[in-house]
Amino acid sequence: MNPHHILDGLNAPQLEAVTLPDVSALILAGAGSGKTRVLTTRIAWLIQTGRIGPGGVMAVTFTNKAAREMLTRISAMLPINTRGMWVGTFHGLCNRLLRAHFREAALPQSFQILDSQDQLALVKRVMKANGLDDEKYPPRQAQWFINANKDAGLRPSRVDPADEFERRFRDVYEAYDRQCQHEGVVDFAELLLRCHELLSRNEILREHYRARFRHILVDEFQDTNKLQYAWLKLLAGRDSCVFAVGDDDQSVYRFRGAEPGNMRQFEHEFATDHVIKLEQNYRSHGNILDAANALISHNQARLGKNLWTAEGKGEPLRVFEAASDAQEAAYIVDEVRSLRAEGVNLADVALLYRSNAQSRVLEHALFGAGIPYRVYGGLRFFERQEIKHALAYLRLIANAEDDGAFLRVVNFPTRGIGARSVEALQEIARTHGSSLWHAACANPPGGKAGSSIAAFVRLIDGMRTAVAGLPLQEIVESVVEGSSLKDHYRTEKEGAERIENLDELVNAAAAFSAEEIYDPQQPEGGMVDPDDPLSALNAFLAHAALEAGEHQAGAGQDALQLMTAHSAKGLEFHSVFISGLEEGLFPHENSLNELDGLEEERRLMYVALTRARRRLYLTFAQSRMLHGQVRYNLASRFFQELPPALMKRVNAPAARAAGYNPFTGASPRAAFENTVSYAGNPWRVGQNVTHPKFGAGVIVNAEGRGSDARVQVNFREAGLKWLALEYAKLSAA
DNA sequence: TACCTCCACGTTTTT
DNA sequence: CGTGGAGGTA
């Protein structure tokens, strides 16, 4: 193969990034600038030029999808087996390290991974055991507290509680960690924290991996949190090269601990000489890009970068103002139909919104119009109730100490072990400091409850014996049958789909073992150890926790893509609708109180805009049903940050004739139900007004008559206010 | 144990 | 409006 072949078609900065010598580097990669290509070509180039073997590269991503995409592209460029390569998510790679060194990490060989649901259940259990009032100390908040501290690299002993409240949460955190250790389970954040601790305490391991991974590449660097950054620094040491690719303008996960400041810190600590900007966009037409650039230029905190394209200007952005959310949906339905008629695949069209609740109205309209659509962000395969139950049986077989798994299935399907019996077991377990499983085994078989528990123990023991030495698929098959979950669901009215899913779980196990083959050349690489009869099962359970799986069927169908702006990050479409562009919704009202909140909303809008290749629709509604009542919103402030010349308004002509200006929120609208009048001037709910002091707003309520007439106005800047028409200098804008 | 009713709550989310 | 959790009743 021509060694330069893989470099063909790269532009100058891309080429520079790909062929950097053995140095660390920060790549500022704008939206659509070929970031994944640079990342994967760099890996291929390093290997092809003999700078490093496939085993010496580590590539880290945030999602499994991104990791898979990378492996696929590397395989296409190089004639090598990528199986032993360390390409994966932060969590996946940490899992791999901890499995390989479970003793050094003080974990049982078959430690299990808790997903968020499992974690919350465990937090609740711990809080209950410690007699904490879950009214005053909401378990969700405790969970958040624990994760936030772990993400910051803080164990309970290093947490500095700000008040009594946090002191309690700190205690919960401590008890929770202890319980996890007892049960041999780890949550997502623990995978990283435990791995970090392992490497920082164990010099031999640390040096081993530092010597091995001379090149570490990181995707979506702006999304790394403190712990992930520390982990990278630890693993890289002084001699390894870190190739960090990110875009500060697309940082939209600060709310979950992402520290875009890591980019600047990285620049200081690793890569002062090598910052490369990828600014040529290969995705969008000029107008779309110009709009995105104009919008993001309103942010202060930026590393600075301006995207450009060699493509033509293309169409203007289409702006539609609807009277209501339903009308907005109807417009979108019409436009989707005509896009389809133009020959655009529905799968290449995205309908974006700020919050999931907004999908309902849109789905209703699409369903009514018979347009196939797919909603992202729902319940995923491995998160379904029936799947969690089946997995819990498997977990209990793999690791009997797992109380969470025990509790989930001890009485499901019901076998006469009620809450009282379970509490008794918990009491025994607590006094003996043992697991529920041991308590159940030691349980004297007295009475009906006792014999039910004994029967459960026999069931699980029987399964464990029956399953020993079987291939993974047969293990799963046998447990699904033996648990009689299917029988249980056969009696349920919604049971048919659940049974299908259980069958699908068996298929997933078969597919998994076909992919994960033990490779003796890669002792740390292959996850399945032939000497451990349960290692295939453990690997599968870890896979289930780490990769919740694409949720719905019909993924291959040509369907309109509905998702939040967050979920759209990293994707691109021929046409994109951004709906609900209203003050309070996008930017979301809750974000306005937060530090950097508006700038993060603006980055999110930037992400949304830059998803479109050819056509972009921006829609908003004057009125919207939210929480059971109608709300009246102004057009999003983001409209004022986009150059008018790039936009074309496509509303109903009547509204335009009335001189309505969506960017300032001004002029009369169609009549709404509530009106009042003062001095012969009528005022109407939904009407846009201006006030000399408070500025632009919209009337959301009205009451009284004559000199008592008052209106409630939602001002863009000043918020909600009641104003007496007799005194307020209100004018119809 | 199963079902029902009442109440509170309501951004964004991957692993 | 809608959901999910809690608590009560048959």
Side-chain angles (χ1 to χ4, degrees), chain A residues 160-206:
Chain A
D160 190 17
D163 48 33
E164 174 62 17
F165 202 71
E166 288 200 356
R167 217 178 53 73
R168 289 304 188 104
F169 278 155
R170 199 203 66 90
D171 293 344
V172 173
Y173 179 10
E174 196 161 34
Y176 165 85
D177 257 9
R178 219 178 305 127
Q179 187 62 24
C180 285
Q181 189 61 27
H182 274 308
E183 296 188 27
V185 295
V186 298
D187 57 53
F188 289 132
E190 182 72 23
L191 284 168
L192 276 141
L193 184 52
R194 186 68 71 107
C195 194
H196 183 267
E197 288 170 349
L198 170 69
L199 292 175
S200 54
R201 286 172 193 165
N202 191 321
E203 194 188 340
I204 294 172
L205 277 181
R206 184 171 67 243

Side-chain angles (χ1 to χ4, degrees), chain A residues 118-188:
Chain A
D118 302 329
Q119 186 189 32
L120 182 61
L122 181 47
V123 167
K124 281 182 180 169
R125 234 184 314 135
V126 166
M127 290 181 72
K128 202 170 175 186
N130 290 341
L132 251 91
D133 179 6
D134 58 2
E135 295 273 293
K136 199 170 168 201
Y137 303 98
R140 283 196 171 281
Q141 226 170 303
Q143 182 185 24
W144 186 88
F145 180 88
I146 291 168
N147 290 336
N149 279 298
K150 286 193 181 189
D151 284 345
L154 298 176
R155 286 293 177 193
S157 59
R158 290 185 53 213
V159 171
D160 190 17
D163 48 33
E164 174 62 17
F165 202 71
E166 288 200 356
R167 217 178 53 73
R168 289 304 188 104
F169 278 155
R170 199 203 66 90
D171 293 344
V172 173
Y173 179 10
E174 196 161 34
Y176 165 85
D177 257 9
R178 219 178 305 127
Q179 187 62 24
C180 285
Q181 189 61 27
H182 274 308
E183 296 188 27
V185 295
V186 298
D187 57 53
F188 289 132

Side-chain angles (χ1 to χ4, degrees), chain A residues 348-396:
Chain A
D348 211 7
V349 180
L351 174 43
L352 308 183
Y353 33 80
R354 176 64 179 82
S355 62
N356 285 305
Q358 287 165 249
S359 76
R360 186 170 307 283
V361 185
L362 300 166
E363 284 185 69
H364 182 78
L366 291 165
F367 187 82
I371 296 173
Y373 63 90
R374 176 162 183 241
V375 187
Y376 284 76
L379 196 59
R380 286 174 300 179
F381 182 73
F382 288 111
E383 291 169 357
R384 287 164 191 279
Q385 189 207 93
E386 62 276 19
I387 300 302
K388 295 286 282 181
H389 280 130
L391 293 175
Y393 278 99
L394 291 164
R395 273 166 57 172
L396 203 53

Side-chain angles (χ1 to χ4, degrees), chain A residues 579-590:
Chain A
S579 66
L581 282 168
E582 294 138 44
E583 279 299 296
L585 219 64
F586 201 171
H588 197 278
E589 53 197 349
N590 295 0

Side-chain angles (χ1 to χ4, degrees), chain A residues 216-244:
Chain A
I216 300 175
L217 300 92
V218 193
D219 192 16
E220 304 276 16
F221 195 78
Q222 77 283 353
D223 288 340
T224 53
N225 64 32
K226 265 180 118 160
L227 179 56
Q228 286 157 342
Y229 184 81
W231 184 86
L232 286 167
K233 225 170 109 177
L234 189 62
L235 203 56
R238 236 168 277 102
D239 301 324
S240 299
C241 308
V242 179
F243 190 83

